[in-house]
Amino acid sequence: DTEVTQTPKHLVMGMTNKKSLKCEQHMGHRAMYWYKQKAKKPPELMFVYSYEKLSINESVPSRFSPECPNSSLLNLHLHALQPEDSALYLCASRAGGTDTQYFGPGTRLTVL
Amino acid sequence: TQLLEQSPQFLSIQEGENLTVYCNSSSVFSSLQWYRQEPGEGPVLLVTVVTGGEVKKLKRLTFQFGDARKDSSLHITAAQPGDTGLYLCAGVSAGAGSYQLTFGKGTKLSVIP
């Protein structure tokens, strides 16, 4: 099973809403990633978790709050987003000692 | 800052034609990967090249890594409509047990039947 799942597939939210994106993998990977991808652009790294600890935060605004409650699950909590935060949010996971990241299908987020 | 320049940005060709996509880096990465992404989906890894001068083939796709490990190319022979998608090259940086990807801007390929 090389699948990374993400829910929801689509999300529309207002600027005052609080919502969460969920990412799950059961491959035993201990590194997990959040990326943001705007239309016609490549993915941009947001956060990296290694062994459930935040190891990299690419200067992401605090309205994005990641959480890794266990080795299979990665959440991204959203609060007070702006319309320019509308994008495809991708999750990826990687096995230790390898350089291959497995990407989920993404959550298409629209902020009104 | 390590940068990856990918060209062309857009490519529209007829079914059966050949094409080449280029990826050039200002510096050396641990390895270089090529991904294909379809609309509404995440990128899917096609290949990883590690050694300078390496050539890998995946059916009609041929991937080359330059001798200096700073440039790479993807050549598709006899393109099919199913090859349509966004092709991304990504440099892999390894350090402190973490691997990060630096993506090129991508090449949006349309193969017309």
Side-chain angles (χ1 to χ4, degrees), chain A residues 33 37 42 45 56 94 99 104-105, chain B residues 31 33 37 40 42 99-100 104:
Chain A
Y33 303 72
Q37 186 176 24
L45 183 66
I56 293 174
R94 180 183 58 80
D99 61 7
Chain B
S31 60
Q33 298 180 330
Q37 185 178 19
Y99 290 81
Q100 291 189 63

Side-chain angles (χ1 to χ4, degrees), chain A residues 9 33 35 37 40-45 48 50 55-56 58 88 90 94 97-101 103-106 108, chain B residues 9-10 31 33 35 37 40-45 48 50 86 88 92 97-101 103-106 108:
Chain A
K9 194 164 177 62
Y33 303 72
Y35 290 86
Q37 186 176 24
K40 300 178 184 178
K41 300 287 186 184
E44 295 177 358
L45 183 66
V48 180
S50 181
S55 60
I56 293 174
E58 291 286 348
L88 181 69
L90 293 162
R94 180 183 58 80
T98 72
D99 61 7
T100 300
Q101 292 186 26
F103 284 84
R108 174 72 60 190
Chain B
Q9 216 171 330
F10 300 96
S31 60
Q33 298 180 330
Y35 289 82
Q37 185 178 19
E41 299 292 331
V44 175
L45 180 65
T48 300
V50 181
L86 178 68
L88 295 158
V92 180
S98 174
Y99 290 81
Q100 291 189 63
L101 297 178
F103 283 95
K105 289 188 176 180
K108 188 167 171 57

Side-chain angles (χ1 to χ4, degrees), chain B residues 4 13 20 22-23 25 42 44 47 51 61 67 75 85 100 103-104:
Chain B
L4 276 175
I13 61 171
T20 302
Y22 299 93
C23 182
S25 170
V44 175
V47 79
T51 308
L61 278 59
D67 291 340
H75 182 78
Q100 291 189 63
F103 283 95

Side-chain angles (χ1 to χ4, degrees), chain B residues 46-84:
Chain B
L46 297 174
V47 79
T48 300
V49 285
V50 181
T51 308
E54 187 174 1
V55 177
K56 283 192 174 179
K57 291 197 174 188
L58 189 66
K59 296 184 181 178
R60 292 176 293 101
L61 278 59
T62 301
F63 304 86
Q64 286 191 299
F65 203 15
D67 291 340
R69 295 172 61 225
K70 286 187 176 182
D71 57 280
S72 181
S73 65
L74 157 60
H75 182 78
I76 301 180
T77 304
Q80 303 294 310
D83 295 327
T84 293

